[in-house]
Amino acid sequence: MHLYTIRNIHGLEAQLTNFGATLISLKTLDRHGKLADILLGYDDVAGYEHGTYYLGGSIGRYGNRIAMGKFNLNGTTYHLATNNGANHLHGGVRGYNKVVWEAKQLSGHAVEFRYTSKDGEEGYPGEVAIKIVYTLNDHNELRIDYSVDAAPGKDTVINLTNHSYFNLTANPQNTILDHVLMLKASRFTPVDSGLIPTGELRAVKGTPLDFTQATAIGARIGADDEQLKLGKGYDHNFVIDRTLVTTGQQSLVMAAKVYEPTSGRVLEVETTEPGIQFYSGNFLDGAEKGKDGQVYNFRSAFCLETQHFPDSPNHPEFPSTTLKGGGHYASTTVYRFSVR
Ligand code: GLA
């Protein structure tokens, strides 16, 4: 495992590794100008090899769930690993967060990772060549650019994301319940008991999933709500307010904003993707040793995973995740840091 460090003129610093093209740490400023690491992670490669939380990892070939690990493409049914009950999650048993990537430091600001995923890997059809570039610019933005070239011949599905866990207090012994979240999403994709979308795009209005006005994550997390019970908290894909197109890349739009009152840290998320999974760390259970020997407890971090909708290969009405043989896919997500 190799470590790569990128910095900007304000002292922000990100550390990455070629194992899983993983974001290991991210130091950002609080309102007093003090730098601290706001990401969950492990101290050594063994942590990343054995970890089950996907901390900071690059997720693929298909981020999030595919029902029964099964989908049909051009008349063929493909069977993927079922590693989440009956369903497929985050690329399978050995997803992209568990493979070694080729890495190249492009500059003091940027690192590039490449991985060729073979035809048949974890059951997916077709070979794809993936490139991920992380850039930390002087506007305090960590930008992640994904690009994928599919080998000619076979179509496939693709849905890449990053699974960083944030705690903007920079102390994961605090829960994230007092972080104030805004999501630019007036709809979400309700799920069944396996966290598979039913296909409905449901309005958030009048539900505890309405974050269109900035609201503390913990304000309604215990509400008597069917969707919150199914997710054991928030674990839902939100439909970012934008004109949905069925195929092709879109422009960057603001998807989410999080404010942490004690440190003053603000995180904004922009993406070209149609969806964002807001996950409130409900499966963090104190079972794994993280940085400095700490354990990560229930709701000690949140994820904002930009993505296409879960189980899209089985929902032709959702924006398509099909990548044609010989085709190209690109996606960008920006995490912007400031203070208030
Ligand atoms: C995603 C899923 C969650 C959980 C985490 C990893 O965010 O939606 O249900 O599996 O990854 O623990």
Side-chain angles (χ1 to χ4, degrees):
M1 161 158 153
H2 295 282
L3 280 182
Y4 302 85
T5 304
I6 51 180
R7 292 192 181 84
N8 75 4
I9 50 165
H10 307 292
L12 270 67
E13 183 191 288
Q15 269 195 323
L16 301 127
T17 173
N18 57 331
F19 186 81
T22 299
L23 184 57
I24 293 183
S25 69
L26 184 58
K27 290 183 183 158
T28 70
L29 299 163
D30 68 10
R31 67 160 74 85
H32 304 296
K34 201 172 147 261
L35 281 172
D37 182 12
I38 56 167
L39 294 188
L40 269 51
Y42 304 102
D43 274 333
D44 53 24
V45 69
Y48 288 96
E49 272 167 358
H50 305 300
T52 61
Y53 299 146
Y54 304 89
L55 303 186
S58 290
I59 307 298
R61 187 173 302 197
Y62 198 98
N64 217 311
R65 291 173 177 80
I66 295 180
M68 311 306 280
K70 215 164 74 175
F71 64 96
N72 191 286
L73 192 57
N74 307 324
T76 303
T77 300
Y78 293 96
H79 295 270
L80 308 171
T82 49
N83 57 327
N84 187 244
N87 302 320
H88 177 87
L89 176 67
H90 291 336
V93 175
R94 189 160 172 261
Y96 295 168
N97 61 311
K98 298 282 186 191
V99 303
V100 176
W101 294 61
E102 254 175 73
K104 188 159 104 192
Q105 182 116 26
L106 299 178
S107 71
H109 291 304
V111 183
E112 172 190 290
F113 296 101
R114 287 178 184 268
Y115 179 69
T116 300
S117 176
K118 294 272 181 265
D119 183 11
E121 189 174 331
E122 297 291 325
Y124 290 100
E127 181 176 301
V128 288
I130 302 158
K131 182 170 94 173
I132 305 180
V133 179
Y134 290 85
T135 309
L136 187 55
N137 68 25
D138 289 337
H139 305 294
N140 291 341
E141 295 171 346
L142 179 74
R143 180 184 170 109
I144 311 178
D145 289 295
Y146 301 88
S147 88
V148 184
D149 288 298
K154 262 190 201 172
D155 297 356
T156 189
V157 295
I158 191 106
N159 191 27
L160 303 177
T161 192
N162 176 278
H163 211 301
S164 285
Y165 284 75
F166 298 90
N167 184 315
L168 300 182
T169 71
N171 177 2
Q173 299 316 309
N174 301 320
T175 73
I176 43 81
L177 298 176
D178 293 335
H179 287 54
V180 179
L181 171 69
M182 190 279 294
L183 289 172
K184 275 245 196 260
S186 32
R187 292 173 298 170
F188 73 109
T189 50
V191 289
D192 67 15
S193 59
L195 299 185
I196 298 290
T198 60
E200 186 191 352
L201 304 186
R202 188 182 293 170
V204 295
K205 206 175 167 59
T207 80
L209 286 89
D210 187 352
F211 285 95
T212 54
Q213 305 292 319
T215 307
I217 291 173
R220 300 158 303 179
I221 203 167
D224 184 15
D225 176 88
E226 186 216 11
Q227 286 296 314
L228 285 178
K229 286 189 178 141
L230 291 170
K232 301 189 168 48
Y234 296 102
D235 194 353
H236 295 84
N237 170 66
F238 287 78
V239 180
I240 298 167
D241 290 335
R242 70 192 313 164
T243 314
L244 287 182
V245 295
T246 37
T247 51
Q249 199 192 3
Q250 304 204 273
S251 53
L252 274 174
V253 294
M254 161 84 83
K257 186 168 184 167
V258 187
Y259 168 60
E260 197 288 299
T262 65
S263 67
R265 285 194 178 84
V266 176
L267 161 64
E268 289 167 281
V269 185
E270 289 182 0
T271 187
T272 59
E273 289 291 322
I276 188 165
Q277 182 86 5
F278 167 46
Y279 169 55
S280 55
N282 315 307
F283 295 116
L284 293 172
D285 57 2
E288 296 181 9
K289 278 229 159 35
K291 291 175 184 172
D292 303 318
Q294 310 181 67
V295 295
Y296 298 133
N297 293 312
F298 190 53
R299 298 181 180 157
S300 60
F302 66 87
C303 302
L304 287 168
E305 303 152 60
T306 54
Q307 59 179 11
H308 272 59
F309 305 167
D311 200 30
S312 296
N314 293 309
H315 286 281
E317 71 278 20
F318 287 173
S320 175
T321 50
T322 302
L323 178 60
K324 291 267 175 221
H328 180 77
Y329 159 86
S331 167
T332 297
T333 291
V334 173
Y335 294 105
R336 184 185 304 111
F337 299 95
S338 58
V339 291
R340 200 188 288 166

